[in-house]
Amino acid sequence: MPQDRYRVIQWTTGRVGSVAVRHFADNSAFDLVGVLVTDPAKVGKDAGDIVGAAPTGVLATDDVAATIALQADCVFYTPARADIDVICRLLRSGKNVVATSSYFYPTESNRPGVEKIEAACRDGGTSFHAAGIHPGYAGDLLPLTLARITSKIRKIEIYEIVDVLTDASDHVDIMGFGHTPDEFLSVPNMLGQAVPVFAQSMAMIVEGLGKTVEKVTSELEIATATKDIPHETGVVRAGTVAAQHHEWSAWTDGVPLVVFHAFYALSDDIEPSWNCGKTRYRILIEGDPSTELTLEGMPGPNGACAHPGYTWTAMAAINSIPDVCDAEPGLVTHFDLGLVRPLGLVRP
């Protein structure tokens, strides 16, 4: 039976972690018992003050050993790059871990890391689960849910379309915007390096449909700004990279079965013109019947439509915490969880 309350530790307070702290403080299903930070300026501050919420009574610390020693049911682990050794320490300490990075689904290429996680879960009697908006929901769980109402499938295409201007400070530099095409193509791109991560989602869809991934292929297109594009941290000059389209395909039976498209654009003032528009996810199933589903944020009461990605990322994982805590020890995938039952979402 699920517990009335789950004691949680928040591991880092970046964009996603801040969403989590605010949610844990407001949801009676959770008790926030610890907050680990990496910024020295945050140490000793109340977690609520760090994230712009009411005081929580929990002071942030950068003491890893002291945080691991806390009594908790789960650690919500949100660094952008996962440290598997730290995750294994947490699991061996008797705490379940839900993460927004790391291993979303076991594949042949990530087997060594998955085996480390599984061993730590056995030692600690704990469970591990990774989720987020993509991977972890829009690119795997949602397409398989949509597939349930079809009779036949020839191809599934998932489009992640991101309006970078809604959060330029978090995307422009690390994704190579503002470089000349030659400069952009000469260095490893952040999204290009993420193929093994997204391949987990593609494998989950393919295997969920009873097939096997034969190979994964990649393609890249770029578009340049037709005029200077100002943003919150500077300006992307005309003629430099202002949009990028990554395409990854999982092949089975000699043809692409699952195709992921990642469109990241600063503006529609680009050449060639892609008319990307606002941030959203599109799932297209080519089959019988051909079916399309779009996931996008809605305007709030003030008419503004804030970038929903960080909240989607956090909540796709947070809402699994009770089920992960109650699961059998080991790496828990969406298939293991079944239908997640979110707690405490309906509240004043």
Side-chain angles (χ1 to χ4, degrees):
M1 294 294 293
Q3 302 169 200
D4 290 331
R5 298 176 73 88
Y6 293 81
R7 298 166 299 171
V8 293
I9 294 169
Q10 177 55 44
W11 201 274
T12 71
T13 56
R15 307 245 187 191
V16 174
S18 294
V19 172
V21 170
R22 290 191 290 269
H23 183 77
F24 292 142
D26 190 45
N27 186 338
S28 61
F30 299 105
D31 278 327
L32 183 67
V33 298
V35 174
L36 188 285
V37 295
T38 56
D39 182 353
K42 297 179 180 180
V43 174
K45 291 186 176 180
D46 187 283
D49 294 335
I50 292 173
V51 304
T56 63
V58 178
L59 301 183
T61 179
D62 60 357
D63 190 329
V64 171
T67 305
I68 292 176
L70 293 172
Q71 294 296 310
D73 299 299
C74 186
V75 175
F76 187 48
Y77 184 91
T78 58
R81 296 183 183 275
D83 186 327
I84 300 305
D85 291 333
V86 169
I87 289 175
C88 287
R89 284 181 66 187
L90 291 166
L91 292 166
R92 287 195 170 92
S93 75
K95 299 172 186 63
N96 302 290
V97 176
V98 171
T100 53
S101 57
S102 182
Y103 301 116
F104 297 87
Y105 187 79
T107 66
E108 190 61 37
S109 63
N110 67 20
R111 183 182 299 275
V114 168
E115 289 177 348
K116 287 184 68 172
I117 293 288
E118 291 277 11
C121 288
R122 288 194 297 271
D123 292 344
T126 51
S127 298
F128 173 84
H129 176 68
I133 186 59
H134 186 46
Y137 185 76
D140 36 52
L141 184 59
L142 205 53
L144 282 171
T145 303
L146 190 61
R148 182 169 173 171
I149 61 173
T150 65
S151 173
K152 184 177 182 179
I153 293 174
R154 289 184 291 274
K155 181 191 288 186
I156 298 177
E157 296 193 76
I158 293 95
Y159 290 79
E160 179 183 49
I161 301 165
V162 176
D163 175 4
V164 176
L165 278 183
T166 59
D167 189 32
S169 64
D170 213 32
H171 289 95
V172 171
D173 291 335
I174 63 173
M175 294 189 64
F177 290 109
H179 292 289
T180 67
D182 287 343
E183 290 171 341
F184 180 89
L185 296 172
S186 67
V187 297
N189 178 272
M190 187 194 77
L191 272 179
Q193 293 176 308
V195 176
V197 178
F198 289 98
Q200 297 178 79
S201 287
M202 292 189 283
M204 179 178 159
I205 297 173
V206 171
E207 293 178 16
L209 295 173
K211 307 297 288 187
T212 301
V213 176
E214 296 169 351
K215 64 178 179 179
V216 174
T217 57
S218 303
E219 296 184 26
L220 171 63
E221 296 178 285
I222 57 175
T224 55
T226 58
K227 64 180 184 180
D228 288 356
I229 303 171
H231 56 84
E232 59 188 300
T233 59
V235 60
V236 168
R237 299 297 180 186
T240 65
V241 175
Q244 51 193 280
H245 169 210
H246 298 258
E247 179 180 303
W248 308 302
S249 300
W251 294 61
T252 187
D253 296 331
V255 296
L257 176 60
V258 178
V259 181
F260 279 4
H261 301 269
F263 282 92
Y264 279 65
L266 273 165
S267 169
D268 284 333
D269 296 314
I270 55 175
E271 177 61 40
S273 179
W274 293 339
N275 295 318
C276 292
K278 67 179 182 179
T279 298
R280 64 196 186 279
Y281 292 87
R282 293 177 62 216
I283 301 165
L284 282 71
I285 294 182
E286 180 185 323
D288 180 19
S290 291
T291 306
E292 177 178 349
L293 179 69
T294 299
L295 171 67
E296 61 184 44
M298 291 178 61
N302 62 357
C305 190
H307 178 56
Y310 298 114
T311 301
W312 283 346
T313 296
M315 296 314 306
I318 289 171
N319 283 325
S320 73
I321 287 176
D323 292 275
V324 173
C325 289
D326 299 336
E328 292 297 316
L331 189 148
V332 180
T333 70
H334 284 305
F335 293 139
D336 301 314
L337 285 179
L339 183 64
V340 166
R341 297 151 294 176
L343 298 181
L345 296 191
V346 182
R347 59 186 188 273

